[in-house]
Amino acid sequence: KEYEIRKEENKDYCKRLNIEFIDVDYDVENWYSRMKGMEYDPERGTRCSECFDMRMERTALYAYEHGMHAIATTNSTSRWKDRKQVDDSGFRAAEKYDGVTYWSYNWQSDEMTLRKYQISANEKFYKQEYCGCSYSLRDSNDWRKANGIPKIKIGGETAGLGERYFTDPLVDAAEESQDVVDEFFAQAEELAKVGSDRNHRKKTLELYQNRRKHEAVDGTTSGLNNW
């Protein structure tokens, strides 16, 4: 459902810009096959690289088959992603095909992050609360539960945390501040180290009890639903 929501929003945006939307649809079975054995990898770990590779390989192949000379990805715009990790996948995919290049650019500056959220607010884009990976959904909800934060909601008019749609560029950019992002991934790495052992995971999550990621002036928690 999350995938379909995001795809339909992309299609609508392309219509408004009069840009063709090419649907090289998602291969769920292939994804789970490629991620086997990496179910408890940390965010930004090998599983993420495999996930990026899968998408970039399909994109590069389509570009090559249809005479397109450059590929890029919005994944590299987000501080929630490791830019080098994303770009490396793009370069690996493009180098397999003559005439196809991967366009790398640093979209993660303060200026570009604010610009991204200005566009998102103007378009009132759907604000996803996790990257879209089922394992990330599991770990994010575990973290939220340990911190007393509502679970992620997929679709609908209300989010598990914060607003359902982008509305305020300054607030949204602050939710993706480097400090917020760094703290989240530091804790995610601690959780990944204990793997699938439920007792160890529970003990690790207890370390986060009442440790909020970001306390706003009005006392509400933010900074977790802005992937």
Side-chain angles (χ1 to χ4, degrees):
K1 184 178 180 181
E2 180 80 5
Y3 166 74
E4 294 296 337
I5 291 171
R6 299 186 194 187
K7 183 172 78 170
E8 289 304 311
E9 187 158 83
N10 272 298
K11 290 169 71 173
D12 289 342
Y13 189 48
C14 284
K15 284 181 182 179
R16 293 197 291 275
L17 297 179
N18 197 28
I19 296 173
E20 180 185 6
F21 180 88
I22 300 169
D23 190 352
V24 184
D25 213 358
Y26 187 36
D27 187 344
V28 179
E29 291 185 5
N30 184 25
W31 188 86
Y32 277 106
S33 177
R34 290 184 66 153
M35 304 309 137
K36 191 173 182 179
M38 295 178 282
E39 294 85 351
Y40 289 93
D41 270 21
E43 296 288 340
R44 296 184 173 180
T46 303
R47 186 182 69 224
C48 292
S49 289
E50 283 288 339
C51 190
F52 298 145
D53 283 347
M54 177 179 169
R55 286 155 177 70
M56 297 308 299
E57 287 164 7
R58 189 67 188 89
T59 302
L61 174 60
Y62 187 95
Y64 177 74
E65 291 177 337
H66 293 82
M68 300 174 181
H69 303 297
I71 61 174
T73 175
T74 57
N75 274 325
S76 62
T77 69
S78 174
R79 287 173 176 164
W80 292 106
K81 304 299 181 187
D82 182 326
R83 180 192 163 204
K84 184 179 185 303
Q85 186 180 33
V86 174
D87 286 347
D88 284 350
S89 287
F91 289 126
R92 281 194 297 271
E95 69 182 7
K96 296 179 180 180
Y97 303 101
D98 290 338
V100 177
T101 59
Y102 173 74
W103 183 34
S104 174
Y105 185 83
N106 182 14
W107 302 97
Q108 296 185 16
S109 66
D110 289 344
E111 181 182 6
M112 293 306 298
T113 296
L114 179 58
R115 178 57 181 147
K116 174 178 64 176
Y117 288 124
Q118 287 172 337
I119 295 172
S120 296
N122 289 341
E123 298 294 334
K124 201 181 178 183
F125 283 148
Y126 170 84
K127 185 187 287 189
Q128 62 268 32
E129 298 187 64
Y130 72 111
C131 72
C133 164
S134 60
Y135 304 126
S136 172
L137 176 62
R138 174 201 64 207
D139 291 344
S140 295
N141 275 332
D142 280 351
W143 192 95
R144 287 187 175 205
K145 183 178 180 180
N147 283 272
I149 300 169
K151 289 178 63 176
I152 290 168
K153 288 185 179 179
I154 298 174
E157 291 301 310
T158 59
L161 175 68
E163 298 184 342
R164 175 78 293 168
Y165 302 97
F166 289 101
T167 57
D168 188 326
L170 293 176
V171 171
D172 293 328
E175 288 185 358
E176 198 180 324
S177 73
Q178 200 62 56
D179 288 343
V180 168
V181 172
D182 289 345
E183 182 178 350
F184 176 86
F185 284 110
Q187 295 183 4
E189 187 171 353
E190 290 178 36
L191 182 60
K193 288 177 181 177
V194 302
S196 60
D197 187 293
R198 296 185 68 178
N199 288 330
H200 286 170
R201 287 174 68 83
K202 184 177 180 180
K203 288 179 181 178
T204 302
L205 286 165
E206 286 173 354
L207 297 175
Y208 308 148
Q209 196 71 35
N210 299 321
R211 280 166 56 185
R212 302 287 189 168
K213 180 172 300 304
H214 181 273
E215 290 292 337
V217 175
D218 61 1
T220 61
T221 307
S222 62
L224 288 173
N225 65 332
N226 193 354
W227 284 77

